[in-house]
Each structure stands twice: as C-alpha cells, then as structure tokens.
Amino acid sequence: MGLTVNGAAVSLPEDPRVSLLDLLRERQDLPGTKNGCNQGACGACTVLVDGERMLSCLALAVQFEGREITTIEGLGKPGALHPLQQAFIEHDGFQCGYCTPGQICSAVAMVQELRRGVPSQVTDDLAAEAIALDRDELRERMSGNLCRCGAYNGIVEAILATYAEAAE
Ligand code: FES
Ligand code: FES
C-alpha cells in the first residue's frame, strides 16, 4: 500500500497519525513544502493531489493511498524550472521565500480550476464553462496563501505573466 510522490512510489506510514506534510518533509526528505501554521490557516503547505491543491498539514498521509502527490520539487528543478517558478524570479514574487512553494503549487491548480469553470466568490457567471483569469479572480482564489513579506504584487504579476492566455 502506498502513494506516489513526484513520480516515485512511497509507502504509507505505519502510524496513521502522520500528516501528509510530515510524511513529505520528515520522511521523504522533501523540505520544499513548508510548515507555516500547521493548522490550515496560511497555505505554506499546499501540494497537488492528482492535480488539485490541498493543505498537507490538515491531511493524514494514509488518506492518500493510490493518489499522486506533486510537491514543488516535482514541478521544477534548478536548470529546469517550471514557468511559474521562473516568473516568480522575474517579477519579484518573493522575499524570504517561505510561502513561495505553496503559492506556486496553489496557483498551478488554481488556473486549472478556472479552466474547468469552478466559480469563486467573485465570479459573475456561475454557468461559465471556463472563467477568465483577472486580478479579482486571482486575488480571491489565492487568498488562502498568505505572504508575511507582503510580496503580493509580485506574486500576482508572476501568475498573470505565466498564464496570460487565460487572462482578460
Ligand atoms: Fe498548512 Fe499553514 S502549514 S495551512
Ligand atoms: Fe516571505 Fe512570502 S516571501 S512569506
């Protein structure tokens, strides 16, 4: 029994109390996913589960048997960065960088939610098959990812620059 992390098979922990975040950071040597609040309030621990964003601090690893987990280490690597990682560099989307892996994982999934027409609090047309990426949608949908350095303007610009084809 196990799950997949960045394409590699990983065994489920024997202790069912181990969070997905602790499995990644402490048992898989994948420290890119950050532990900010450990209580679902900051978004630093966001990873992708079968392409959907999830707070790994609130999830037990044993819930994810057979699922595909992608962390920031699986999105890009030095010399082969994900386009959004490169855009964060070019648009000053970070200062200390602690929130950045969560911001990037969250944004990657957020854009897919737009393309699937998943509405947000600020969506006007709830029946739209796809929703345009504008600043209001972006800020609303990324509001669960906090940045204590206040790099929000750069984060917004980096996401818009990367996914411009989805923008209005
Ligand atoms: Fe998971 Fe803050 S560490 S939401
Ligand atoms: Fe420091 Fe966001 S870059 S918390």
Side-chain angles (χ1 to χ4, degrees):
M1 294 199 303
L3 63 165
T4 304
V5 178
N6 299 334
V10 169
S11 298
L12 291 175
E14 290 186 12
D15 187 343
R17 298 169 298 179
V18 174
S19 71
L20 180 59
L21 176 61
D22 287 346
L23 176 75
L24 296 170
R25 286 182 56 85
E26 298 177 8
R27 304 187 180 206
Q28 294 302 312
D29 195 24
L30 292 169
T33 307
K34 297 297 187 270
N35 186 345
C37 65
N38 211 25
Q39 59 180 10
C42 74
C45 65
T46 305
V47 298
L48 302 175
V49 178
D50 294 331
E52 297 197 19
R53 52 185 171 172
M54 189 162 297
L55 299 176
S56 60
C57 72
L58 292 183
L60 296 173
V62 293
Q63 294 175 255
F64 298 97
E65 182 181 1
R67 310 288 293 275
E68 168 75 38
I69 313 297
T70 304
T71 70
I72 192 70
E73 292 93 340
L75 280 182
K77 300 191 182 315
L81 295 179
H82 185 283
L84 187 53
Q85 290 176 307
Q86 185 64 40
F88 265 64
I89 295 171
E90 293 172 1
H91 293 273
D92 292 328
F94 58 90
Q95 291 183 31
C96 78
Y98 200 81
C99 73
T100 312
Q103 301 277 2
I104 290 175
C105 286
S106 187
V108 166
M110 180 270 294
V111 170
Q112 296 306 317
E113 291 163 14
L114 285 165
R115 290 172 177 165
R116 294 201 307 273
V118 178
S120 77
Q121 175 79 8
V122 300
T123 303
D124 290 328
D125 181 3
L126 300 182
E129 290 189 5
I131 299 165
L133 175 63
D134 61 24
R135 291 173 189 271
D136 287 343
E137 285 284 0
L138 194 161
R139 289 183 181 276
E140 167 65 20
R141 290 168 186 269
M142 293 297 294
S143 61
N145 289 82
L146 305 184
C147 174
R148 277 175 281 188
C149 296
Y152 293 112
N153 288 339
I155 292 169
V156 168
E157 294 307 320
I159 296 171
L160 287 174
T162 304
Y163 298 106
E165 83 282 4
E168 284 186 339

